[in-house]
Amino acid sequence: MSSSDPKPGPKPGPLLPAPESSPVPPSTWAKRTGFRPKFSGETTASHSGQLSLPASARATQPETHPDLEAGQPPLRPPPPVSAGEPDKKDKNDKPPPPQPQPPSAAAAPVKRRRDSDGGRTNGPVGGGGGGANGSGDPVRRQNRVEERVEVLPQSMDDDDLAARNLHMNYGLRDTPGLVPIGFYGLQHYLSMLGSLILVPLVIVPAMGGSHEDIANVVSTVLFVCGITTLLHTSFGSRLPLIQGPSFVFLAPALAIINSPEFQGLNGNNNFKHIMRELQGAIIIGSAFQAVLGYSGLMSLILRLINPVVVAPTIAAVGLSFYSYGFPLVGKCLEIGVVQILLVVIFALYLRKISILSHRIFLIYAVPLSLAITWAAAFLLTEAGAYTYKGCDPNVPISNVVSSHCRKYMTRMKYCRVDTSHALRSAPWFRFPYPLQWGVPIFTWKMSLVMCVVSIIASVDSVGSYHASSLLVASSPPTPGVVSRAIGLEGFTSLLAGLWGTGTGSTTLTENVHTIAVTKMGSRRVVELGACVLVILSLVGKVGGFIASIPQVMVASLLCFMWAMFTALGLSNLRYSEAGSSRNIIIVGLSLFFSLSVPAYFQQYGVSPNSNLSVPSYYQPYIVASHGPFKSQYKGVNYVMNTLLSMNMVIAFIMAVVLDNTVPGSRQERGVYVWSDGETVTREPALAKDYELPFRVGRFFRWVKWVGI
């Protein structure tokens, strides 16, 4: 061979050996998302570690489309056809049907999915994946993928439907017996105890409410949660999603509570007046959300809401409360830190321990840690660890004259468990009724803030609808069902405003994690639990017992819940190409500026030596009195300073603008795939999952934008 002859290219055969079975084609959803094997600005090496081929080899290689939405490694292509060998397959021939797998090979991935969190299995791996790091790497990579699928659903194609049904104990339309319904219902609601009760334990003390007020608000929250959950599972999305006081409404509620015009009020008058202001703002914001859903506008907004938008927006909600969490825990470190350590140990280190096939520590991490810490604090209180001679913990610190007692008043207030008399003073029976705090007060500036917050709450709910439908339903809901659900959330949030819970009612983000952990997807279980909540809300002692939880323990649990909320928000990135530089930059910018821009507004005009009238953990919410936005219209100043000081608003604006203007393929962006009319016609199970009961849907067939 002369030196002028071109050198032969590398042979691709040894790099990519032939699979043992015929390759599985990409799922229907992956095809509909317009998958591209390369992303804008990315390298030729994929994120899974698979080597890219030279140009000469790629010319002879058939194009393979890995199902990245399902979280599976790319499929290995068949061996290349040499130049001298004719192609034996005619282009008009239909592909042969896939060969059935042996029972052992088909069952192994399902078994590994069920046991993935309890340890890695060494069974066969289905759907071969390529790798360049040795023969063991593909197996380890496949195990990691399936371990992630258990808690974080990736796709909903037909190939994985049987495996998903085996993964869940009960599906959406399953009706277990009375005993399983009762047990799983109790388990489901106890696992979400923190999300249901912690929000009123934060906002009522901030309004100056007494322990009796806290007990009454908690009972009202339980009552409204039960009613709104029943309405949502029947006439909303019909998914097994608990409705409650979301953390999305907490920041605007604290901003309204700390408005300058309320600083002169004190005592019970302060609580009732601020509650009525909150009620008016929530009612207007809820009505706006209901119009957004039932008018069909939500179907148009869905085109702008994608995982890259949902992830930083929801994560910013959890990150925004960092100034409230541990600073309040530090008031009594020996109680607060122990509470945090226990919930972390139960949720992480002991999560694999199963008792009677139930992961007790993982499911009941919050109530177990709370019970143990509360019992330990009670023993310390009874033993006299927080008793000081001549000091009374029930006397306000402003009335304490002795310097000795002043030194220990904070410790006595936050460490003792007998400072609350809510349980003793609470009645045995109390019926929450509308307008129990008085007639709502409507202020346009606070109502406008809540209208913007209702959009953020809708974004949160859209992500929860999509993720939960992949776990329990036959297919995702149609845009009409999503609009119907958002409209009903607006109506149920309006009920929360009328009853006076202090926050709006929306789908709790923690639903997805709870469904994945408990493996319970039946709507009957959630409905029975909602009925139990309504009954418990009528027992006043239940609200009094919850109101007696020491504030330090509340702050400790909130540290865990807000961290969980942040992680659940970021987990939405699994539907997109998380390794894409486009998505990394968008999410990074959104999160950074969601912390930096509000910090500028919150610190503007505040000198380091200024003596503010509110505690340090409430200072981020008094920006309306000193923000940088100043015009001749005080109402506009209030709205702009308040909205731009909220982390979730900045994150949403940044993410929705960048994600919808920066070029990127549908696969790269992870655009949510909703069911359409053709899917409804082809799959009768879809109509059964989402159709309204009692033939109510027949009366609204002309309203195409809020139906199936």
Side-chain angles (χ1 to χ4, degrees):
M1 179 182 299
S2 62
S3 59
S4 61
D5 294 335
K7 295 182 180 180
K11 298 181 179 180
L15 287 176
L16 297 173
E20 297 178 359
S21 60
S22 59
V24 182
S27 67
T28 305
W29 284 22
K31 291 179 180 178
R32 286 162 56 185
T33 54
F35 170 73
R36 299 290 188 277
K38 294 181 181 180
F39 306 110
S40 56
E42 302 304 315
T43 58
T44 55
S46 65
H47 69 283
S48 61
Q50 189 175 12
L51 293 178
S52 59
L53 299 177
S56 59
R58 288 198 303 266
T60 58
Q61 288 283 355
E63 186 179 7
T64 60
H65 291 186
D67 188 2
L68 294 179
E69 184 181 2
Q72 298 175 356
L75 299 173
R76 289 177 295 183
V81 181
S82 60
E85 182 180 356
D87 191 0
K88 299 179 181 180
K89 181 180 178 182
D90 185 75
K91 62 180 180 180
N92 295 325
D93 291 343
K94 296 183 179 179
Q99 297 295 328
Q101 295 182 352
S104 59
V110 176
K111 181 179 180 181
R112 180 163 53 254
R113 177 180 294 183
R114 293 174 62 89
D115 300 333
S116 60
D117 211 10
R120 191 190 320 177
T121 61
N122 296 322
V125 178
N133 298 327
S135 60
D137 289 345
V139 177
R140 287 196 296 269
R141 185 182 303 113
Q142 182 79 359
N143 287 340
R144 286 198 299 269
V145 168
E146 299 210 6
E147 181 175 347
R148 183 172 67 251
V149 169
E150 178 181 2
V151 179
L152 305 177
Q154 301 290 331
S155 70
M156 197 56 189
D157 45 16
D158 297 335
D159 298 332
D160 291 339
L161 183 58
R164 179 194 58 78
N165 289 335
L166 291 176
H167 173 63
M168 301 296 296
N169 290 335
Y170 293 98
L172 179 61
R173 288 178 280 116
D174 293 342
T175 304
L178 183 60
V179 174
I181 285 182
F183 173 77
Y184 282 109
L186 178 66
Q187 171 183 271
H188 201 86
Y189 280 84
L190 281 179
S191 63
M192 299 186 65
L193 180 65
S195 302
L196 293 173
I197 67 173
L198 292 181
V199 172
L201 298 183
V202 174
I203 63 173
V204 177
M207 289 188 283
S210 62
H211 294 289
E212 290 77 12
D213 294 327
I214 299 176
N216 293 337
V217 174
V218 169
S219 298
T220 304
V221 167
L222 295 179
F223 180 82
V224 173
C225 285
I227 297 298
T228 55
T229 301
L230 287 173
L231 289 175
H232 191 82
T233 55
S234 300
F235 304 103
S237 69
R238 307 222 66 200
L239 294 168
L241 301 175
I242 299 175
Q243 308 294 296
S246 173
F247 291 124
V248 174
F249 289 94
L250 183 55
L254 291 175
I256 293 176
I257 291 170
N258 291 280
S259 298
E261 53 264 37
F262 301 146
Q263 299 302 320
L265 301 176
N266 53 18
N268 194 43
N269 292 331
N270 190 19
F271 165 73
K272 287 190 175 181
H273 182 79
I274 297 178
M275 178 62 80
R276 292 163 61 197
E277 294 270 5
L278 276 175
Q279 286 182 261
I282 292 171
I283 289 174
I284 298 299
S286 304
F288 172 77
Q289 186 180 15
V291 172
L292 197 68
Y294 286 128
S295 66
L297 291 176
M298 197 63 206
S299 299
L300 302 178
I301 298 177
L302 281 179
R303 302 175 184 177
L304 305 177
I305 300 176
N306 299 311
V308 181
V309 176
V310 174
T313 302
I314 305 307
V317 175
L319 292 175
S320 63
F321 298 107
Y322 68 92
S323 63
Y324 183 94
F326 204 82
L328 197 56
V329 173
K331 301 290 185 180
C332 187
L333 283 173
E334 62 267 29
I335 300 298
V337 172
V338 169
Q339 173 78 78
I340 295 176
L341 290 177
L342 282 176
V343 72
V344 169
I345 290 172
F346 291 157
L348 293 178
Y349 294 98
L350 302 181
R351 73 186 190 279
K352 299 178 182 179
I353 298 178
S354 298
I355 300 178
L356 299 178
S357 301
H358 295 279
R359 297 179 182 178
I360 302 297
F361 295 103
L362 177 61
I363 297 173
Y364 305 114
V366 170
L368 278 177
S369 61
L370 177 62
I372 294 174
T373 309
W374 204 348
F378 175 79
L379 294 177
L380 289 175
T381 302
E382 292 297 319
Y386 306 115
T387 302
Y388 301 94
K389 186 177 180 180
C391 302
D392 187 358
N394 297 318
V395 177
I397 191 172
S398 58
N399 298 337
V400 177
V401 179
S402 172
S403 59
H404 170 73
C405 291
R406 278 181 173 272
K407 180 180 179 180
Y408 297 105
M409 282 303 295
T410 301
R411 187 173 180 83
M412 294 171 64
K413 177 182 178 182
Y414 289 98
C415 294
R416 296 179 66 95
V417 298
D418 58 352
T419 57
S420 173
H421 305 287
L423 180 60
R424 190 182 313 163
S425 60
W428 278 102
F429 176 81
R430 181 183 183 275
F431 183 79
Y433 55 92
L435 308 180
Q436 55 188 326
W437 315 116
V439 179
I441 301 175
F442 298 94
T443 307
W444 73 268
K445 59 181 183 180
M446 297 178 183
S447 301
L448 186 58
V449 170
M450 278 298 178
C451 288
V452 176
V453 173
S454 66
I455 298 177
I456 307 295
S458 301
V459 172
D460 181 16
S461 298
V462 166
S464 299
Y465 296 160
H466 185 267
S468 60
S469 67
L470 300 189
L471 281 169
V472 302
S474 59
S475 295
T478 62
V481 173
V482 175
S483 296
R484 183 183 72 196
I486 295 297
L488 187 69
E489 279 196 13
F491 174 73
T492 55
S493 190
L494 190 146
L495 296 180
L498 290 175
W499 259 261
T501 60
T503 62
S505 178
T506 185
T507 299
L508 298 178
T509 308
E510 297 83 351
N511 273 292
V512 179
H513 172 74
T514 301
I515 293 174
V517 171
T518 61
K519 299 179 176 62
M520 170 52 61
S522 173
R523 66 166 69 103
R524 302 304 177 200
V525 172
V526 175
E527 290 170 350
L528 179 63
C531 295
V532 174
L533 278 186
V534 174
I535 296 174
L536 291 178
S537 68
L538 304 179
V539 183
K541 292 294 183 182
V542 173
F545 176 77
I546 296 174
S548 302
I549 301 177
Q551 201 169 2
V552 169
M553 297 184 191
V554 173
S556 302
L557 291 178
L558 284 173
C559 289
F560 175 78
M561 298 302 300
W562 285 329
M564 187 87 168
F565 200 90
T566 302
L568 288 173
L570 292 176
S571 68
N572 284 276
L573 291 174
R574 68 188 179 271
Y575 302 113
S576 66
E577 180 53 40
S580 166
S581 62
R582 172 194 182 275
N583 297 344
I584 290 175
I585 294 174
I586 291 176
V587 174
L589 287 174
S590 301
L591 285 178
F592 176 79
F593 284 106
S594 71
L595 297 175
S596 186
V597 173
Y600 166 73
F601 278 78
Q602 294 163 6
Q603 298 171 9
Y604 185 87
V606 178
S607 61
N609 299 325
S610 60
N611 187 15
L612 299 176
S613 59
V614 297
S616 59
Y617 43 84
Y618 288 145
Q619 290 181 8
Y621 308 106
I622 62 173
V623 67
S625 60
H626 59 80
F629 196 93
K630 297 179 180 179
S631 66
Q632 58 181 346
Y633 303 103
K634 293 184 178 180
V636 176
N637 298 341
Y638 179 91
V639 172
M640 296 303 298
N641 287 324
T642 302
L643 288 178
L644 295 179
S645 66
M646 293 183 187
N647 307 74
M648 58 184 177
V649 174
I650 301 299
F652 175 72
I653 294 174
M654 291 284 298
V656 76
V657 170
L658 292 177
D659 184 55
N660 289 278
T661 56
V662 178
S665 65
R666 292 175 59 87
Q667 163 69 12
E668 184 179 12
R669 297 172 61 194
V671 176
Y672 286 136
V673 178
W674 307 102
S675 301
D676 52 15
E678 297 180 358
T679 308
V680 175
T681 305
R682 187 174 64 252
E683 300 179 8
L686 177 63
K688 294 180 181 180
D689 286 342
Y690 299 109
E691 65 183 358
L692 296 177
F694 314 117
R695 300 182 178 180
V696 177
R698 295 187 177 184
F699 296 97
F700 299 98
R701 285 184 176 179
W702 59 274
V703 191
K704 298 296 184 181
W705 55 85
V706 293
I708 297 178

